Amino acid sequence: EKMKKKVAVVAPNTTSTTNTSKVAQKVAATLFFHEHVVSIVKVVLSNGTSWFDIVDSLPRRQTGVMGATRTRCKDRDSLRTVLFWYASNKFSQTDVQYIDSNEWDDTMCDLDPRVFQAFAWQE
């Protein structure tokens, strides 16, 4: 039950079951996807609304400088969109061919490129 509450905070299209009256509430998640970790941090504003920051620390070259990215999503729909975009960009052509030709099969999850690990917590 406790884990369901943690995941519900960051999962798109779900209803949050946590108490948002605490302004200092800390909620976050990490995703391990294609040998890389990204973090999702829920930012609770003083008016009770929430934003989600996606932090990708893998260096990438931008204007000649190596740097990480932090993408701010101001609602759950934009969070969901950015996560789909992010995951889609990580798939190789071979991954896409596998996904297009194979239905999901729990027994093959060790080989399926769609698999990721997620860890969520709340303070």
Side-chain angles (χ1 to χ4, degrees):
E1 181 65 31
K2 192 172 184 182
M3 182 54 93
K4 286 181 186 175
K5 287 183 180 180
K6 292 178 185 179
V7 174
V9 173
V10 294
N13 296 329
T14 61
T15 303
S16 176
T17 55
T18 58
N19 180 358
T20 56
S21 63
K22 294 182 196 175
V23 174
Q25 180 183 30
K26 296 179 183 178
V27 179
T30 57
L31 304 175
F32 182 68
F33 182 69
H34 278 245
E35 301 178 4
H36 181 60
V37 176
V38 295
S39 298
I40 302 170
V41 180
K42 181 180 181 184
V43 179
V44 181
L45 305 175
S46 59
N47 66 2
T49 60
S50 301
W51 294 348
F52 301 92
D53 287 353
I54 300 172
V55 181
D56 184 353
S57 60
L58 186 65
R60 61 188 78 201
R61 191 163 299 280
Q62 292 177 323
T63 62
V65 179
M66 295 296 282
T69 63
R70 184 178 193 117
T71 305
R72 175 148 294 161
C73 302
K74 293 190 176 181
D75 58 37
R76 289 183 185 195
D77 288 337
S78 60
L79 173 64
R80 185 173 194 267
T81 301
V82 170
L83 288 175
F84 272 102
W85 171 84
Y86 180 85
S88 298
N89 282 312
K90 297 298 179 191
F91 291 133
S92 67
Q93 188 58 39
T94 303
D95 293 336
V96 171
Q97 289 171 345
Y98 179 89
I99 292 166
D100 287 344
S101 345
N102 295 280
E103 292 291 323
W104 176 257
D105 181 353
D106 287 344
T107 62
M108 297 296 291
C109 68
D110 290 342
L111 304 173
D112 197 302
R114 295 168 279 202
V115 172
F116 66 92
Q117 291 179 330
F119 304 91
W121 65 94
Q122 168 183 341
E123 197 174 276

